[in-house]
Amino acid sequence: QGQLVESGGGSAQAGGSLRLSCTASKYDFNFGCMGWFRQYPGKEREGIALINVGDGGQVYDDSVKGRFTISQDNDKNTVYLQMNSLKPEDAATYYCAGTQTNWAKCVTHPNWYLYWGQGTQVSVSA
């Protein structure tokens, strides 16, 4: 059973940067989709940056395009989310997720993802 462990997150000022990491174990890092979801209190998780770890194809939510970048390091079984130009509305709980289903284009709905990290908090001050 796949396990995902997140690190990074914390606090930043608006306009600043943070980087999240997600390391997978007991998980085939050669195919499938991994990525990042965020959740506001009382709201459903929403996919914001996904990557097909087999071919590198990326999907971004419009709210983070041009500011956030997802990347992978296959040697470390790790996916990263570089968050630049942070805005107060980026403050949320961020979750790493993965699925071994090999879509041509990663889907963003959380119901399709089987493996989840524990979540990490991101705070952004104005």
Side-chain angles (χ1 to χ4, degrees), residues 22-38:
C22 174
T23 300
S25 60
K26 302 178 184 178
Y27 188 93
D28 190 335
F29 209 76
N30 293 308
F31 69 94
C33 289
M34 289 187 68
W36 297 92
F37 291 73
R38 68 183 174 192

Side-chain angles (χ1 to χ4, degrees), residues 30 32 51-58 72 102-104:
N30 293 308
I51 188 167
N52 183 310
V53 294
D55 64 17
Q58 300 173 13
Q72 64 186 93
N102 200 33
W103 293 296

Side-chain angles (χ1 to χ4, degrees), residues 5-71:
V5 178
E6 300 149 357
S7 59
S11 299
Q13 290 187 328
S17 299
L18 288 171
R19 189 176 83 157
L20 306 181
S21 301
C22 174
T23 300
S25 60
K26 302 178 184 178
Y27 188 93
D28 190 335
F29 209 76
N30 293 308
F31 69 94
C33 289
M34 289 187 68
W36 297 92
F37 291 73
R38 68 183 174 192
Q39 188 171 24
Y40 300 107
K43 302 292 185 181
E44 187 177 90
R45 292 179 193 181
E46 54 181 9
I48 57 167
L50 290 305
I51 188 167
N52 183 310
V53 294
D55 64 17
Q58 300 173 13
V59 175
Y60 292 96
D61 184 77
D62 286 345
S63 64
V64 304
K65 276 181 183 176
R67 301 188 299 120
F68 291 9
T69 303
I70 190 170
S71 61

